[in-house]
Amino acid sequence: MRNGWIIAGAAVGALALLEAGISAYFYRRTMIRSNAKRERTIKMAGTDWNQYMPLIQERKEKLLAQPLEDVFLTSEDGLKLHGTWVKNTDGKETTKVVICFHGYTSEGLSDYIGHSDYYLRNGYAMLLPDARAHGQSEGHYIGFGCKDRYDARKWIDWVINRCGSDVQILLHGTSMGGATVLMTGGLELPPQIKGIVSDCAFTSPKYVFTHVLHSMYHMPAFPIIQIADAVNKKKAGYGLDECNAAREAAKIKVPVLFIHGSEDTFVPCSMCDEIYDSCSAPKTKVIVEGAHHAESYYKDTGTYEKALDSFTGGIIK
């Protein structure tokens, strides 16, 4: 009997060590800047970007030909954050600005190459921030919208100071950026914010990580998520479900356009439905058939731009 208890105890101890090791591995490769690789994110998302490369390259050249300006500000917790300011097509300042928030492991000048054509020809200036721990912005731990919402609030103030109190601002976010703009919408915002566009946003880091563990790694989320949550609270300063886009959407006061791809396996379309149902503001939902993660604009540009036309036509003068 005594030997049996010893063996059982050893097995439980070994299992606990294994779970702790898996949790530490998952945490390091997901939450820490130096270990979060863009190539891995693209592979996990499953979107075939090669088919769009000719268009992306063409629009990238047009975007880089615009007057670009590197801009910087300091976050509430002392990080130096970088953004790229893009004047509208004629090179003048404008009363219409879109602030675009990119996805996980990307950067400001990447995710909105395609969309830039739409916004610039419609007279918008663009601000393309690098999220904390991305691009040229400082930071060791990734914010997953929970920390980035406060950085977004700083960028909003920057635009108002730059363009004046008459400026009309649209927030547009993709994936982690979509979660960021929805979480930002839950904060107290100035009247210059006219609307929010959320493309393939997740509800919270906790639930998107749980989905990835189940669907891609075929692993139970418990206790990996619970351990990662405790570690992240200590190291990065926020819990993995401390800020949830579905809960924050209930506080939003400006109109919201939700866009999601029907074939998104990375951030399931059900998350869009959950956030949409929670949103108490005027709202529109567009599901792009056949689109994978962050692919909606390229999969059906006409539907996407028509949705933007209809949405902004009622809120931007």
Side-chain angles (χ1 to χ4, degrees):
M1 176 67 74
R2 184 168 178 272
N3 288 340
W5 282 113
I6 292 172
I7 293 170
V12 170
L15 181 60
L17 285 173
L18 177 62
E19 289 173 341
I22 292 172
S23 299
Y25 172 75
F26 170 76
Y27 183 82
R28 286 195 301 270
R29 67 182 273 156
T30 304
M31 305 300 295
I32 297 176
R33 175 187 195 135
S34 58
N35 296 326
K37 304 300 182 184
R38 187 173 188 183
E39 296 77 13
R40 186 167 62 235
T41 304
I42 292 173
K43 183 177 180 180
M44 291 172 66
T47 305
D48 177 16
W49 291 108
N50 290 328
Q51 61 186 312
Y52 304 117
M53 278 306 159
L55 175 62
I56 291 172
Q57 187 58 39
E58 174 190 327
R59 293 197 173 179
K60 182 178 182 179
E61 291 174 2
K62 289 177 65 176
L63 176 59
L64 294 179
Q66 299 298 317
L68 305 180
E69 179 184 344
D70 289 315
V71 295
F72 298 89
L73 57 76
T74 303
S75 71
E76 289 184 348
D77 51 351
L79 298 177
K80 185 178 181 181
L81 303 178
H82 169 265
T84 302
W85 176 249
V86 188
K87 291 185 178 181
N88 61 357
T89 305
D90 60 11
K92 298 178 181 178
E93 298 293 357
T94 180
T95 58
K96 299 193 300 183
V97 176
V98 59
I99 310 178
C100 301
F101 297 88
H102 64 77
Y104 176 62
T105 67
S106 188
E107 57 186 43
L109 270 173
S110 290
D111 284 9
Y112 289 88
I113 289 171
H115 307 69
S116 65
D117 180 76
Y118 173 86
Y119 282 120
L120 293 173
R121 64 181 149 85
N122 280 284
Y124 288 81
M126 304 178 72
L127 177 62
L128 308 171
D130 292 338
R132 58 174 53 215
H134 290 76
Q136 295 183 53
S137 290
E138 293 180 345
H140 184 63
Y141 298 102
I142 294 172
F144 280 100
C146 300
K147 286 290 188 181
D148 306 288
R149 57 182 168 153
Y150 301 115
D151 301 337
R153 188 64 183 81
K154 287 268 192 176
W155 285 117
I156 291 167
D157 289 340
W158 184 92
V159 169
I160 295 170
N161 289 334
R162 173 70 177 250
C163 299
S165 59
D166 292 335
V167 69
Q168 303 169 86
I169 302 173
L170 187 67
L171 305 180
H172 191 148
T174 301
S175 192
M176 186 180 79
T180 296
V181 296
L182 293 169
M183 292 175 185
T184 303
L187 302 175
E188 205 58 46
L189 297 179
Q192 288 83 1
I193 301 297
K194 302 302 180 183
I196 294 171
V197 181
S198 169
D199 187 337
C200 62
F202 53 74
T203 49
S204 75
K206 175 182 177 180
Y207 290 108
V208 77
F209 295 163
T210 297
H211 169 73
V212 167
L213 284 170
H214 287 166
S215 64
M216 298 183 183
Y217 292 96
H218 309 291
M219 296 175 61
F222 179 84
I224 297 172
I225 295 296
Q226 287 69 23
I227 295 172
D229 180 66
V231 172
N232 206 58
K233 284 178 181 176
K234 182 177 181 180
K235 293 183 176 293
Y238 69 94
L240 298 183
D241 194 46
E242 181 177 310
C243 189
N244 183 302
R247 293 197 299 266
E248 296 306 306
K251 307 173 189 176
I252 296 175
K253 297 182 176 65
V254 298
V256 184
L257 170 61
F258 294 92
I259 302 173
H260 215 105
S262 67
E263 299 303 310
D264 193 336
T265 57
F266 195 45
V267 177
C269 203
S270 59
M271 287 196 179
C272 178
D273 296 334
E274 180 183 350
I275 301 168
Y276 179 85
D277 290 343
S278 296
C279 182
S280 57
K283 56 191 177 182
T284 304
K285 180 167 62 175
V286 176
I287 304 301
V288 178
E289 291 301 321
H292 292 81
H293 188 64
E295 187 188 18
S296 292
Y297 180 82
Y298 295 94
K299 186 71 174 181
D300 192 344
T301 304
T303 293
Y304 201 113
E305 293 192 351
K306 185 177 179 180
L308 286 175
D309 284 341
S310 177
F311 180 68
T312 59
I315 58 176
I316 303 288
K317 297 177 183 179

